[in-house]
């Protein structure tokens, strides 16, 4: 199992660890709830060095990426980031990806940890020049209302939302996975430990993947492998905002057919009205519509259960629903994320 270069520091900070995408990463330190609240109310810092960081360069890089991903990279000028997807021929989501564009033919492609090798192989099969940055860098996510100020105090500048920035060899972007402001900061391995300690001394709370999951669920952000995978399409998952229909990409033909008929199911938000925690795989029903929970937990912001679930046929926001929890049907209501706002 692969470890972050910051593993020993996490041990000293009292982290508990979990296997995530083949990496042994911190799941929590003192308390998932306290870490969650730190990000919602102040600032937290996550080691997300397990995430893929593929540098793609060369005169053909733009054409390769625009013919491979759902969003047209050519429409995003250098200095911008955007969300996109790699699909199979049936329109299923092989991976959801964030792209940082540095220059005309210079990109960072950021896949999920479990899919990084597959995405790299796909890029190389198309003729892209790819360098894996994970062996030489660490990635820290600084998130929360106070995160932009802390990033600026630490590095002298902070990236704007969905913008990239380079300061003295440190590259960062105004991105994240928590529904809060902040950024993701990529540092050389030798600099990452001192920077993480500096952020903690300045008041950032160390946060693990447990809090990252409750934060992203409250924000209504899909998790690959739970809410989306190769059996789900962007139209079913409500991710059609990350699709540009004016260029070709794998799965486009299948999705054009689905767009004409409409998806038979849709990823839907649920807020529990009865006691109980909805969990992955639990059955859901709403009138004649049936499905199952893909992600669920207690929302610290609402102090009740929330979930994402596929329902077929799709149902409207506000409709009553039920989730089967330990043999009994518990009332819920269809809701539109984000749940914490």
């Amino acid at each position: 199992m692969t470890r972050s270069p910051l593993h020993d520091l996490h041990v000293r900070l009292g982290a508990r660890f979990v296997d995530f995408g083949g990496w042994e990463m911190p799941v929590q330190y003192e308390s998932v709830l306290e870490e969650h609240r730190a990000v919602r109310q102040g600032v937290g810092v996550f080691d997300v060095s397990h995430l893929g960081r593929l540098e793609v360069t060369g005169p053909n890089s733009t054409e390769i990426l625009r013919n491979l991903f759902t969003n047209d990279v050519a429409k995003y000028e250098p200095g911008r980031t955007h969300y996109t997807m790699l699909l199979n021929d049936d329109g299923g989501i092989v991976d959801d990806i964030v792209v940082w564009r540095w220059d005309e033919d210079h990109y960072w492609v950021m896949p999920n940890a479990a899919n990084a090798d597959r995405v790299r192989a796909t890029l190389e099969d198309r003729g892209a020049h790819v360098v894996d940055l994970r062996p030489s860098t660490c990635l820290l996510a600084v998130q929360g209302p106070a995160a932009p100020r802390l990033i600026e105090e630490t590095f002298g500048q902070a990236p704007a939302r969905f913008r990239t920035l380079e300061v003295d060899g440190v590259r960062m972007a105004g991105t994240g996975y928590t529904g809060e402001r902040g950024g993701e900061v990529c540092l050389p391995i030798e600099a990452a430990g001192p920077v993480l300690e500096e952020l903690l001394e300045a008041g950032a709370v160390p946060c693990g993947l447990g809090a990252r999951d409750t934060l992203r669920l409250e924000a209504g952000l899909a998790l690959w492998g739970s809410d989306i995978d190769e059996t789900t399409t962007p139209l079913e998952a409500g991710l059609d905002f990350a699709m540009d229909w004016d260029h070709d990409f794998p799965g486009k033909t299948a999705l054009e057919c689905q767009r004409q008929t409409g998806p038979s199911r849709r990823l839907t938000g649920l807020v529990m009205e009865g006691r109980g925690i909805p969990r992955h795989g639990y059955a859901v029903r709403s009138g004649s519509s049936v499905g199952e929970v893909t992600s669920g937990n207690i929302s610290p912001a609402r102090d009740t259960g929330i979930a994402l679930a596929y329902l077929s046929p799709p149902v409207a926001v506000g409709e009553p629903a039920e989730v089967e929890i330990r043999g009994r049907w518990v009332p819920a209501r269809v809701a539109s994320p984000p749940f914490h706002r």
Side-chain angles (χ1 to χ4, degrees), residues 39 44 46 48 51 79-83 97-102 108 110 139-144 147-148 151 158-165 171-186 212 221:
V39 174
F46 303 80
V48 289
L51 297 178
R80 290 285 303 275
T81 73
H82 66 276
Y83 178 78
I97 294 164
V98 175
V99 175
W100 299 8
R101 188 175 190 183
W102 295 105
W108 282 10
M110 320 284 272
L139 188 66
L140 302 178
V142 188
Q143 303 281 289
I151 294 173
R161 185 174 167 84
F162 302 128
R163 299 282 178 172
T164 62
L165 181 65
R171 293 182 183 258
M172 61 189 84
T175 51
Y177 193 50
T178 64
E180 295 294 340
R181 299 180 64 195
E184 294 173 311
V185 182
C186 188
R212 192 166 181 261
L221 302 176

Side-chain angles (χ1 to χ4, degrees), residues 131-150:
V131 175
D132 187 352
L133 299 175
R134 285 193 294 186
S136 61
T137 63
C138 288
L139 188 66
L140 302 178
V142 188
Q143 303 281 289
R149 176 186 56 78
L150 179 56

Side-chain angles (χ1 to χ4, degrees), residues 43-296:
V43 57
V45 58
F46 303 80
D47 179 4
V48 289
S49 297
H50 61 299
L51 297 178
R53 297 182 290 289
L54 303 174
E55 184 174 47
V56 180
T57 56
N60 60 347
S61 57
T62 298
E63 195 63 20
I64 289 172
L65 295 185
R66 76 185 303 265
N67 289 331
L68 198 58
F69 297 153
T70 57
N71 233 333
D72 187 352
V73 300
K75 294 186 176 181
Y76 294 87
E77 71 272 14
R80 290 285 303 275
T81 73
H82 66 276
Y83 178 78
T84 190
M85 287 166 283
L86 172 65
L87 308 181
N88 60 29
D89 289 338
D90 295 325
I93 303 170
V94 174
D95 199 23
D96 64 329
I97 294 164
V98 175
V99 175
W100 299 8
R101 188 175 190 183
W102 295 105
D103 209 335
E104 289 299 321
D105 293 300
H106 184 189
Y107 299 88
W108 282 10
V109 174
M110 320 284 272
N112 285 288
N115 299 323
D117 290 341
R118 182 175 182 181
V119 173
R120 178 180 182 175
T122 302
L123 288 166
E124 291 178 335
D125 285 346
R126 293 294 183 103
H129 179 261
V130 183
V131 175
D132 187 352
L133 299 175
R134 285 193 294 186
S136 61
T137 63
C138 288
L139 188 66
L140 302 178
V142 188
Q143 303 281 289
R149 176 186 56 78
L150 179 56
I151 294 173
E152 184 172 0
E153 290 175 352
T154 304
F155 300 101
Q157 297 181 65
R161 185 174 167 84
F162 302 128
R163 299 282 178 172
T164 62
L165 181 65
E166 182 178 6
V167 181
D168 297 329
V170 175
R171 293 182 183 258
M172 61 189 84
T175 51
Y177 193 50
T178 64
E180 295 294 340
R181 299 180 64 195
E184 294 173 311
V185 182
C186 188
L187 306 115
I189 286 177
E190 62 273 13
V195 167
L196 177 54
E197 291 185 300
E198 182 179 349
L199 292 169
L200 298 177
E201 290 173 2
V205 173
C207 299
L209 297 182
R212 192 166 181 261
D213 191 59
T214 57
L215 289 158
R216 71 90 192 166
L217 177 58
E218 277 192 344
L221 302 176
L223 174 64
W224 194 92
S226 292
D227 309 304
I228 54 175
D229 58 29
E230 289 194 69
T231 70
T232 59
T233 73
L235 300 182
E236 294 169 341
L239 299 176
D240 34 323
F241 68 87
M243 302 183 61
D244 192 314
W245 298 94
D246 295 335
H247 74 297
D248 290 329
F249 53 85
K252 180 181 177 181
T253 300
L255 290 179
E256 286 177 329
C257 295
Q258 190 177 62
R259 185 166 64 155
Q260 290 178 356
T261 61
S264 61
R265 60 176 181 168
R266 188 81 172 188
L267 189 63
T268 301
L270 299 172
V271 175
M272 302 303 298
E273 295 187 335
R275 295 179 62 84
I277 304 175
R279 298 295 189 189
H280 178 87
Y282 284 10
V284 180
R285 64 188 183 190
S286 176
S288 63
S289 185
V290 296
E292 67 176 34
V293 171
T294 54
S295 291

